[in-house]
Structure formats: structure tokens, C-alpha cells
Amino acid sequence: MAEENYASDLDSYSLEKARVELFETPEKRLGSVQALKDWAMQQPWLKTPTDTHFLLSILRARKFSQLGARELLVNYWTKQMESPEWFVGADPGSEESLQILRAGPTIVPLAGRDKCGRRILLFKVGNLDTSEKYYNTTSYIRTFHFLGDRLLLEEKTQVNGIVLMADFMNVSLKQQLWLGIDNLRKVLKYLQKSVPVRLKELHFFNLGPFFDAIFVTIKSFLSQKLQSRVFVHSRGLVTVYKHVDMSMLPVEYLPDEYQGPLAGTLQDIMEKFILEEYLDRKSLLFIQELHSGRYGVDLSIKPKTGDEMVASFRKLSVD
């Protein structure tokens, strides 16, 4: 059976959301994990971790559909093998990874959760260091994947999802070119088809005159459902405040007249996350194991018949 010592840390709000939106109940949870584990272990062409927490992230991302979960699990390892420079053999706790997380910082998980139980990621694009003196695009993307892995180990995040906020203040042409359209396409495709994430909203603000071209490009890589979840804030932060509680935002994003509780500066919030959450030893070891090179798919020996229903299964949108 699936791990008998597993204990869910979902609160009552998240349990109810899991029941209503994901068709998950405590009674069926471990049986569903065991069914997916049994299937995975019977595939000689697939090597994957089969612990309960990991397989639950896959099942939740596909609303407990066994066929959908199988497809996602295969996509997860297939895409990682297609871009090994982003994954294989890297250390999430390395000095380079910690330097990249702290630099700027660029992608910051805000403290706490919003009223819907979601994690909010703030992407300050203008903080990207394009000098490549210490690290390059590949190093950035690899480290950002590590950060995502850490968040997706959280059961509440698996159920409630993630909100991405992208701040384009002072983004230079050099930074746009450095990111690269091909990298952007690969990352967005990977997020939608191969990562067990429920991406609930995307917010873009502090937009420059070049944004129209960027936005057209970004939208072309998004599914119809995700396109409907994009919010463009053309009035600065005024409309952002309607979506994100001010108490979660860095002080750099608050109006002068704000008198409520403070989460700290961008750097304060990032440092707190690193020390209190990211550097959790158990999580780091698991993420390192994920990218050890021991897992993946060998499609050359995957049967051409018998499991084709997975390949032809109706594509499930990110939800």
C-alpha cells in the first residue's frame, strides 16, 4: 500500500477545495496513490519516485484522473530529459543556487497565502543580472525550477495553486533578449504540460512601451484557459491591490499612506523564505534526488500498443 505513515497537512479550507475541485477525499486518497504507483512500477521504460507526497502532486494537478496523472508523469520526465542542462545533476542547495535566489532578488515567494490559500510569486524582471559574470540564463532557469519544486512539495499549494505576478519596471532590451523567446517558449510549455502546478492567475504590471510585443508572444504560448486568467494592470499598482492583500507585498510596492502590517522589503522576504523554508534539509534532499539523473523515460522501449489510450487521452488544461 501507499505509505501508511502519510499524514495530510491540509486545513479544512483546502480539504473542502480538494473535494469540490479535485474530486479528492481522504477515503480515496491513498488508494489513488497506490494505483498510480502500481502502474508506474509496471512500466520498464519509466523510472520515477513513487513516494506518496510526489504522486499526490501529480494526481492533484490532474483532478485525480488516473489517465491524466499517467500522462503528466510521463510528460514531467520526458521534458526534463529534453533539457538536461536545466535539471540533471544540479544541487538546489549549492552556493550558486543560493546566490541566484538572493540576487536582486528576482523571483520571490511572498510571505503567507492569499485569501484563496494560494502562494504568490513575484517576478521582478528588471532585477535579472545579464552580465553573466557569475551565472547565465541556464543557471537562472535551473534555480527557478528548484524554487518551484520546493513550493510544489507543499500540499496546500498543490491544492490551492499559485499566482504569478510579473513586474516589468525598468526592464531593458538587453534583459528581454537575454531571456530569449526560445527559453520563454520552453518554460511556458513545460509549466502547462509537464509540471504538477495549478497556475491560477498571471498578473502583469509596470509595463513599458515594448510590452505589447512581449504580451502577444507570451499569450501565443498559453492555453485558452490560462489566457483567460491573465490580468494586465495599466494603472500601476492601483488595481493590483484589489487582487493581493497589501500586508503580503514588499514595502517597495506599498503606497506612502499605507499604515497596515508589513512583510518587509523584497530582500527581507526572500531571505526569510530561504532560511525558514527553502533550506529545509528534507526538501533539499528530495529535490536533489529528483534531479540526480536516476529518473526519466526511455521511449525507445515504450510499448507501441496497450497503453496508447494514455497518449490519445483528451488533453487536460492547466487548472
Side-chain angles (χ1 to χ4, degrees):
M1 285 294 293
E3 296 167 48
E4 294 182 1
N5 62 350
Y6 164 80
S8 172
D9 65 4
L10 295 177
D11 55 20
S12 58
Y13 174 87
S14 301
L15 282 169
E16 179 63 11
K17 180 176 284 188
R19 185 187 70 81
V20 173
E21 296 185 9
L22 309 183
F23 312 109
E24 172 187 352
T25 63
E27 295 77 21
K28 70 178 287 189
R29 184 187 291 135
L30 292 184
S32 298
V33 170
Q34 187 65 46
L36 182 58
K37 178 178 180 178
D38 289 344
W39 174 83
M41 294 182 70
Q42 291 166 8
Q43 314 308 314
W45 48 271
L46 171 65
K47 303 297 181 185
T48 180
T50 56
D51 64 279
T52 298
H53 279 86
F54 177 72
L55 293 184
L56 267 177
S57 72
I58 301 294
L59 283 162
R60 284 167 172 154
R62 289 299 180 262
K63 297 185 176 183
F64 272 71
S65 160
Q66 287 289 326
L67 289 180
R70 293 178 191 180
E71 180 187 49
L72 177 58
L73 191 59
V74 173
N75 284 349
Y76 181 87
W77 292 113
T78 300
K79 294 303 179 186
Q80 292 205 20
M81 294 184 72
E82 289 177 358
S83 302
E85 70 279 7
W86 289 358
F87 303 102
V88 179
D91 180 4
S94 68
E95 188 60 35
E96 179 188 72
S97 294
L98 294 176
Q99 285 178 351
I100 290 173
L101 289 175
R102 289 179 167 119
T106 307
I107 292 192
V108 180
L110 299 188
R113 297 175 183 275
D114 69 6
K115 62 183 179 182
C116 297
R118 305 173 299 192
R119 275 285 202 171
I120 298 181
L121 276 176
L122 175 59
F123 182 18
K124 189 165 177 55
V125 186
N127 277 353
L128 284 168
D129 181 359
T130 60
S131 68
E132 299 201 0
K133 182 178 180 180
Y134 302 106
Y135 25 77
N136 54 27
T137 311
T138 297
S139 301
Y140 261 115
I141 294 175
R142 184 166 56 226
T143 298
F144 293 162
H145 277 303
F146 292 155
L147 189 153
D149 286 338
R150 175 62 186 85
L151 295 180
L152 291 174
L153 290 176
E154 303 168 349
E155 288 197 87
K156 290 176 185 176
T157 302
Q158 293 171 11
V159 170
N160 296 308
I162 285 176
V163 173
L164 177 63
M165 301 173 59
D167 177 6
F168 285 85
M169 177 69 76
N170 298 324
V171 175
S172 68
L173 178 60
K174 184 178 180 180
Q175 286 170 321
Q176 296 174 59
L177 296 174
W178 186 75
L179 277 171
I181 293 300
D182 189 54
N183 282 330
L184 183 62
R185 176 187 59 79
K186 284 166 59 176
V187 168
L188 289 175
K189 184 177 180 182
Y190 176 68
L191 282 174
Q192 294 176 87
K193 299 294 184 181
S194 309
V195 179
V197 61
R198 305 186 74 208
L199 190 53
K200 305 303 291 183
E201 294 177 3
L202 297 92
H203 295 265
F204 300 92
F205 59 99
N206 286 332
L207 313 177
F210 58 84
F211 183 75
D212 286 343
I214 291 180
F215 189 57
V216 169
T217 301
I218 291 174
K219 286 194 70 172
S220 70
F221 299 147
L222 298 178
S223 67
Q224 286 295 117
K225 180 169 285 189
L226 271 184
Q227 287 187 32
S228 70
R229 296 176 177 180
V230 172
F231 296 84
V232 179
H233 302 274
S234 57
R235 297 175 56 200
L237 294 173
V238 175
T239 53
V240 172
Y241 298 146
K242 297 179 181 180
H243 293 267
V244 183
D245 193 302
M246 289 187 184
S247 65
M248 297 181 67
L249 289 169
V251 296
E252 296 94 329
Y253 289 83
L254 296 173
D256 293 339
E257 64 273 16
Y258 176 72
Q259 298 295 320
L262 299 174
T265 65
L266 203 64
Q267 197 74 55
D268 291 338
I269 296 171
M270 188 72 235
E271 192 65 24
K272 190 173 190 290
F273 170 77
I274 290 172
L275 296 178
E276 296 183 5
E277 300 183 62
Y278 184 80
L279 288 178
D280 172 68
R281 179 169 173 75
K282 184 177 179 180
S283 299
L284 281 180
L285 288 175
F286 182 74
I287 295 169
Q288 191 173 33
E289 173 70 10
L290 274 182
H291 304 300
S292 64
R294 285 189 279 270
Y295 305 110
V297 293
D298 185 350
L299 298 180
S300 68
I301 64 171
K302 181 180 182 293
K304 301 299 182 184
T305 59
D307 200 33
E308 291 303 312
M309 61 180 179
V310 176
S312 61
F313 183 69
R314 178 178 58 85
K315 300 295 184 182
L316 294 173
S317 300
V318 174
D319 197 23

